[in-house]
Amino acid sequence: MVEWITSEGLTDYDHAVAEMEARAAAIAEGRAAEAVWLVEHPPLYTAGTSARPEDLTDPDRFPVYEARRGGQYTYHGPGQRVAYVMLDVGKRGRDVRRFVWQLEEWVIATLDEFNVKGERREGRVGVWVVRPDKPTGPDGRPREDKIAAIGVRLRKWVSFHGISINVEPDLSHFEGIVPCGIREHGVTSLVDLGLPVTMADLDVALKRSFSTIFTSD
């Protein structure tokens, strides 16, 4: 069984990392159940293991944390649901690529509950939505905005870190970084897309779609 934990208010980032690492260690040792932890953070930037210094364009805007997860720079803040996923990937096939695919598919299935078509893009991390309501790009193709980020780390085959989905964050807060190193595309949220979705609505969809993507074996 996977334990679901929801923290109210804003969760300190260092505290979250310490709790994740402790829980992942306990799962690896067989002392705790797998868990999904739903949080919101105060405004901050995190740097993944592939982050490039030039992509932190406003280093004094918010605190910056070395996340030690995969990926580049990302933003966390109020109005964004972060789902920290502590699962025993060793018991789930030891297939890291499949695990990342499942995380992406989880986001896509969750967005589908709100009639939002989330899509993968080759060479781009995260989940994207096409914006036909915006002017086309210089190449004539429709604009695409990022709605969810994905970054995980495994230790002893147990995952931590996870996904983030933009419900109603202040999108101007993303301007202090080049999100995931991608300059030619923007960032959006469910509310920005015109959907009156609450955090509670998203949490229900996350839990429902999780069971269709991840199995206990």
Side-chain angles (χ1 to χ4, degrees):
M1 295 292 294
V2 176
E3 180 184 4
W4 286 80
I5 307 162
T6 303
S7 291
E8 301 297 329
L10 302 179
T11 300
D12 175 78
Y13 187 77
D14 283 333
H15 170 74
V17 172
E19 289 292 315
M20 277 193 290
E21 291 188 344
R23 183 63 175 252
I27 293 168
E29 295 167 6
R31 297 185 289 105
E34 296 176 305
V36 177
W37 184 18
L38 304 177
V39 306
E40 287 179 82
H41 287 303
L44 59 92
Y45 298 130
T46 65
T49 54
S50 302
R52 298 174 297 197
E54 62 269 24
D55 288 343
L56 180 61
T57 58
D58 190 355
D60 299 322
R61 187 166 190 169
F62 298 125
V64 181
Y65 296 86
E66 298 291 331
R68 294 179 299 196
R69 52 151 176 81
Q72 301 185 39
Y73 279 105
T74 194
Y75 165 78
H76 294 316
Q80 181 192 73
R81 175 53 88 206
V82 177
Y84 288 131
V85 183
M86 291 152 280
L87 298 179
D88 191 338
V89 181
K91 293 182 178 178
R92 293 172 177 269
R94 294 200 173 205
D95 188 333
V96 177
R97 287 188 178 183
R98 177 174 179 268
F99 178 62
V100 172
W101 182 92
Q102 287 176 312
L103 291 174
E104 294 171 338
E105 196 69 12
W106 180 30
V107 172
I108 291 169
T110 298
L111 295 175
D112 187 60
E113 295 214 8
F114 305 103
N115 294 315
V116 173
K117 185 180 181 182
E119 301 179 359
R120 298 176 177 86
R121 286 294 180 266
E122 186 70 29
R124 287 193 241 146
V125 179
V127 176
W128 301 79
V129 293
V130 178
R131 300 298 304 270
D133 55 314
K134 289 188 173 183
T136 58
D139 58 0
R141 295 181 181 180
R143 293 282 186 178
E144 296 176 345
D145 287 344
K146 189 171 189 176
I147 195 167
I150 297 172
V152 293
R153 185 177 180 188
L154 270 67
R155 181 180 294 159
K156 296 183 178 178
W157 285 103
V158 176
S159 67
F160 52 110
H161 296 284
I163 67 171
S164 62
I165 299 177
N166 297 331
V167 179
E168 193 178 8
D170 185 337
L171 295 179
S172 71
H173 288 181
F174 286 87
E175 295 170 3
I177 58 171
V178 178
C180 299
I182 298 168
R183 297 178 182 273
E184 61 271 27
H185 298 286
V187 180
T188 191
S189 69
L190 288 167
V191 171
D192 182 54
L193 293 172
L195 301 168
V197 177
T198 68
M199 198 67 72
D201 294 333
L202 182 72
D203 290 349
V204 170
L206 280 167
K207 291 177 182 179
R208 187 158 46 218
S209 57
F210 182 90
S211 62
T212 69
I213 305 300
F214 294 92
T215 60
S216 59
D217 56 359

